Amino acid sequence: DKDRLLQVLINLIGNSIKFTLKGGIMIKFEPSQTSIEYIKVTVEDTGVGMSKEDQKSLFKMYGKLKDSNRLNPKGIGLGLNISNEI
């Protein structure tokens, strides 16, 4: 549904903006390889990156990165979890 898709895009693009201090962000929309009803959305950035340890908790509830407090002190780590569930 349109509203859920918009919420996921806002979460993904918002995170990319928050954590990309230099460089850029690329957002791609492509047709799905599996079904005409789906699209593939890719958000790539040159952001600060993350450790392998942080990657494990990225989509978990309250899964904030260790160093994210200085870049995003108000975030509570729910956006990607919600996006993953949708």
Side-chain angles (χ1 to χ4, degrees), residues 8-44:
V8 170
L9 290 174
I10 288 170
N11 285 338
L12 292 175
I13 296 167
N15 277 355
S16 190
I17 291 168
K18 282 183 249 182
F19 296 105
T20 302
L21 304 176
K22 292 182 181 178
I25 300 165
M26 182 169 41
I27 304 161
K28 292 192 285 187
F29 295 86
E30 304 172 275
S32 170
Q33 297 291 328
T34 58
S35 172
I36 195 166
E37 296 177 7
Y38 298 103
I39 59 170
K40 177 182 175 183
V41 179
T42 306
V43 180
E44 296 179 16

Side-chain angles (χ1 to χ4, degrees), residues 60-75:
K60 293 182 180 175
M61 188 86 74
Y62 305 106
K64 286 192 67 153
L65 306 182
K66 288 183 179 182
D67 292 337
S68 69
N69 282 333
R70 84 183 146 79
L71 295 173
N72 184 25
K74 295 180 182 178

